[in-house]
Amino acid sequence: MRFRPCIDIHNGKVKQIVGASLQDENDRAQENFVSERSAADFARLYQEKGLKGGHIILLNAADSVYYPATKEQALAALRVYPGGMQVGGGIRPDNAADFLLAGASHVIVTSYVFGQGKVHMDRLRALCDAVGKEHVVLDLSCKKVGSEYRIVTDRWQKMTETVLNEATLDLLSEYCDEFLVHAVDVEGKACGIEEEVASLLGRWGQKPVTYAGGVHDFQDLERLQAVGGGRVDVTIGSALDLFGGNMRFEEVLAFCSSR
């Protein structure tokens, strides 16, 4: 289990938010933490620690008045740590290469591929044609509906018809290098992991996959290691001391490196 660091940017600031609270209208979100440090500062720290494969997420819509400031924060972080981090948020075939040229190792995509509530395979193929599937990460962030977990898009605000299961992972794995999965119901709440999601990802285990959502202590990491069979990487946001939480960054690194 590898630790994958994160940099979430909203309204031009590095933040931790409650994922389900994010709204494009008036660029609102329930904030857990707002950093005085820049995205580049965090990227520099992750580079110093030799942490690769983390993600930078732009949480503003492209038509937001805050988007230029949010994007500049992301680009500055990529310039500091070229090849070390992935970037997501509004990625499309016509801008994906720009982020790769700026220093991203991969682009992370959800909304472009899952428009109007379903998977658009033609769009996914177009993205792979534009940058190569070896540079694509699919974000399969999900929310529970009944007994199923369905993929959500547009900064976790729109539900799709696509169910997160092994068949979906099999299908989409042909068009990406790895997956990122936010369990949106617990994202930013530091209330424990979604074990069903982590277990599914661990059972499938055919490509690198990073789980995000709900981790709040080392027992959660132990549980993720167990239910994920050691095949699921982890990111931690609000619970990490870098973002105002109680889990010490250095202890998390030591824990993950020993697993």
Side-chain angles (χ1 to χ4, degrees):
M1 180 169 65
R2 291 183 294 170
F3 176 70
R4 304 284 199 109
C6 65
I7 303 173
D8 294 344
I9 310 169
H10 182 245
N11 295 358
K13 294 280 190 178
V14 175
K15 295 182 182 179
Q16 285 295 311
I17 67 167
V18 176
S21 74
L22 188 61
Q23 297 181 43
D24 287 345
E25 184 180 358
N26 298 321
D27 296 290
R28 291 180 293 179
Q30 181 180 334
E31 297 170 347
N32 289 331
F33 178 83
V34 181
S35 180
E36 294 302 317
R37 301 170 69 183
S38 70
D41 290 334
F42 286 99
R44 190 172 294 108
L45 172 64
Y46 301 152
Q47 182 184 47
E48 290 170 355
K49 297 297 181 180
L51 298 172
K52 286 196 170 186
H55 53 274
I56 302 169
I57 303 295
L58 290 73
L59 291 173
N60 290 105
D63 60 357
S64 165
V65 296
Y66 292 101
Y67 181 79
T70 291
K71 182 178 179 180
E72 181 49 41
Q73 283 265 20
L75 293 175
L78 294 174
R79 289 192 292 266
V80 164
Y81 193 7
M85 299 198 73
Q86 307 164 358
V87 66
I91 301 296
R92 303 169 58 89
D94 58 359
N95 67 6
D98 294 338
F99 285 100
L100 293 175
L101 289 171
S105 64
H106 298 70
V107 289
I108 305 168
V109 185
T110 306
S111 301
Y112 174 73
V113 170
F114 294 92
Q116 295 80 49
K118 60 184 180 180
V119 182
H120 291 269
M121 298 303 296
D122 56 333
R123 294 184 180 184
L124 186 51
R125 293 187 187 98
L127 182 70
C128 291
D129 288 344
V131 298
K133 74 174 187 177
E134 68 275 14
H135 294 297
V136 174
V137 175
L138 289 178
D139 183 344
L140 305 184
S141 295
C142 59
K143 295 186 72 171
K144 195 167 190 179
V145 179
S147 61
E148 300 175 331
Y149 283 90
R150 292 191 189 173
I151 295 171
V152 291
T153 69
D154 296 274
R155 293 157 301 283
W156 309 319
Q157 296 168 80
K158 294 182 180 179
M159 187 73 65
T160 75
E161 301 169 358
T162 307
V163 177
L164 180 64
N165 55 28
E166 292 190 29
T168 298
L169 292 168
D170 285 339
L171 172 67
L172 298 178
S173 67
E174 297 297 318
Y175 301 93
C176 68
D177 195 43
E178 58 183 79
F179 293 109
L180 170 65
V181 180
H182 292 84
V184 176
D185 289 325
V186 295
E187 173 68 20
K189 296 182 179 179
C191 61
I193 66 170
E194 284 274 17
E195 292 193 13
E196 291 178 73
V197 175
S199 179
L200 165 66
L201 301 177
R203 287 196 309 274
W204 183 73
Q206 296 179 37
K207 283 202 170 190
V209 57
T210 301
Y211 170 89
V215 174
H216 80 293
D217 60 23
F218 286 91
Q219 288 184 326
D220 282 332
L221 287 185
E222 292 277 10
R223 193 64 188 148
L224 181 61
Q225 170 77 7
V227 300
R231 292 182 290 274
V232 179
D233 294 339
V234 65
T235 190
I236 304 172
S238 298
L240 200 64
D241 63 352
L242 297 180
F243 305 118
N246 295 319
M247 296 181 71
R248 292 184 58 199
F249 178 59
E250 297 288 351
E251 291 181 6
V252 169
L253 299 188
F255 179 97
C256 292
S257 65
S258 69
R259 296 306 192 271

